[in-house]
């Protein structure tokens, strides 16, 4: 996989290098872009910098030094979150919905189980008394799935019209390494269930990205140019999506 990614970058004229400042090492990519972008990826706090082609290595190094305080703080946040104990789905836990953090409030019921928002602070999870953490997780997950199913259709319809494309079908799955995927030949699209935890603007970016793959299969210059045309701030949205740890 890494060899294939390296070959794709070379085909697109992208140069990569590891730059180390003090005890911080960053993976740097020089691309045909205007601004420098810094991203720290979970779960291992990998540092990635996308730099304009004309930006010198020394300028990148100075940029790293200028951001050192923020980098250390962000790395600490990512790494500490990764070490969190497994969730038990009990009252007081923090869970995310559409980019906002909510506290979980567990209520026992003999009626229908499910979840719903309560104001701007709580996600109420109604479960059977004695239910296991796995069952509570399943109930919350199904609520998330239903909410994402409501969120996606208007976004898909909007961008199908704007791009002049038509998805054959779309579905939602739990995915570990991708926010979405699109089969260029069948026009079938898969969206990651975790998107329901992200801000709406980030979900819209993924919708546009996957629909564009109906037009262009690869992440080449044509694809990037189309993204920049329809979503000029797509790089910022991508960075926000990947930095928003849940």
């Amino acid at each position: 996989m890494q060899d294939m990614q390296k070959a794709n970058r070379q085909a697109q004229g992208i140069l990569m290098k590891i730059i180390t400042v003090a005890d911080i090492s960053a993976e740097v990519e020089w691309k045909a872009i205007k601004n420098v972008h810094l991203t720290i990826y979970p779960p291992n706090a990998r540092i990635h910098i996308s730099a304009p082609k004309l930006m010198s290595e020394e300028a990148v190094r100075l940029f790293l030094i200028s951001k050192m305080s923020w980098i250390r703080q962000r790395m600490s946040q990512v790494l500490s979150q990764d070490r969190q104990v497994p969730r038990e789905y009990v009252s007081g836990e923090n869970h995310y919905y559409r980019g906002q953090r909510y506290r979980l409030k567990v209520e026992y019921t003999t009626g229908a189980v499910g979840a719903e928002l309560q104001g701007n602070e709580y996600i109420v999870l109604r479960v059977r008394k004695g239910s296991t953490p796995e069952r509570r997780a399943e109930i919350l997950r199904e609520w998330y799935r239903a909410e994402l199913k409501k969120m996606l259709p208007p976004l898909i319809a909007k961008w199908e019209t704007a791009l002049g494309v038509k998805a054959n079908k779309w579905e939602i799955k739990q995915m570990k390494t991708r926010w979405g995927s699109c089969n260029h030949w069948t026009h079938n699209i898969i969206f990651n269930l975790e998107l329901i935890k992200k801000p709406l603007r980030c979900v819209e970016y993924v919708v546009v990205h996957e629909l564009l793959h109906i037009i262009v299969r690869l992440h080449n210059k044509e694809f990037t140019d189309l993204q920049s045309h329809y979503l000029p701030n797509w790089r910022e949205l991508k960075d926000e999506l990947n930095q928003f740890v849940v």
Side-chain angles (χ1 to χ4, degrees):
M1 176 63 73
Q2 290 181 343
D3 291 341
M4 184 179 298
Q5 291 174 340
K6 183 177 180 181
N8 287 338
R9 287 193 293 264
Q10 290 174 342
Q12 297 173 43
I14 297 173
L15 173 66
M16 284 201 65
K17 187 172 184 177
I18 302 296
I19 291 181
T20 301
V21 175
D23 59 335
I24 300 295
S25 294
E27 173 187 85
V28 183
E29 263 187 306
W30 279 270
K31 299 180 177 180
I33 56 178
K34 293 182 179 180
N35 301 307
V36 61
H37 302 279
L38 169 63
T39 309
I40 299 179
Y41 292 98
N44 299 319
R46 175 172 63 90
I47 305 171
H48 182 90
I49 294 176
S50 296
K53 285 187 174 181
L54 295 179
M55 189 174 185
S56 68
E57 183 175 327
E58 183 60 26
V60 173
R61 193 178 299 276
L62 291 173
F63 173 79
L64 261 176
I65 293 171
S66 72
K67 297 293 184 181
M68 195 63 70
S69 176
W70 181 88
I71 289 172
R72 292 187 189 281
Q73 181 183 18
R74 183 61 185 158
M75 288 179 69
S76 177
Q77 291 172 348
V78 171
L79 291 172
S80 65
Q81 185 136 19
D82 187 49
R83 290 193 296 269
Q84 284 184 343
V85 297
R87 292 182 182 275
E88 297 181 0
Y89 296 88
V90 295
S91 293
E93 280 186 348
N94 292 322
H95 291 262
Y96 283 82
Y97 172 73
R98 296 184 65 158
Q100 299 297 318
R101 184 172 62 184
Y102 291 82
R103 293 179 64 191
L104 196 66
K105 182 189 289 186
V106 176
E107 295 181 353
Y108 298 115
T109 180
T110 56
V113 299
E116 65 178 4
L117 293 182
Q118 186 178 86
N120 296 318
E121 186 177 358
Y122 294 102
I123 295 176
V124 177
L125 183 64
R126 295 187 176 90
V127 300
R128 298 278 188 268
K129 196 167 185 177
S131 58
T132 64
E134 291 77 15
R135 175 55 180 154
R136 297 181 185 197
E138 181 184 355
I139 293 169
L140 184 59
R141 191 162 51 244
E142 288 310 305
W143 177 71
Y144 276 144
R145 185 181 300 277
E147 291 297 301
L148 188 56
K149 280 185 177 180
K150 291 189 289 187
M151 180 191 296
L152 286 171
L155 293 176
I156 293 171
K158 169 187 172 181
W159 285 101
E160 282 180 331
T161 300
L163 301 175
V165 298
K166 183 68 176 177
N168 178 45
K169 68 176 183 178
W170 59 270
E171 58 184 321
I172 297 168
K173 289 186 177 180
Q174 192 84 48
M175 304 167 74
K176 289 186 177 181
T177 60
R178 295 182 178 184
W179 295 117
S181 67
C182 175
N183 187 308
H184 173 73
W185 311 111
T186 65
H187 300 183
N188 294 337
I189 298 176
I190 300 173
F191 294 103
N192 191 335
L193 177 59
E194 293 296 303
L195 285 171
I196 193 59
K197 301 176 184 179
K198 308 298 182 177
L200 180 62
R201 57 188 173 273
C202 293
V203 179
E204 186 165 22
Y205 154 71
V206 175
V207 169
V208 174
H209 183 101
E210 300 309 331
L211 286 173
L212 280 173
H213 276 306
I214 294 177
I215 303 172
V216 182
R217 184 171 66 90
L218 301 175
H219 291 123
N220 53 22
K221 185 178 184 302
E222 181 185 3
F223 184 88
T224 301
D225 288 346
L226 283 171
Q227 277 198 129
S228 297
H229 175 74
Y230 289 102
L231 276 183
N233 64 332
W234 70 267
R235 290 184 177 87
E236 288 78 9
L237 294 171
K238 179 182 178 182
D239 287 346
E240 181 181 7
L241 179 67
N242 289 320
Q243 287 177 1
F244 189 81
V245 183
V246 298

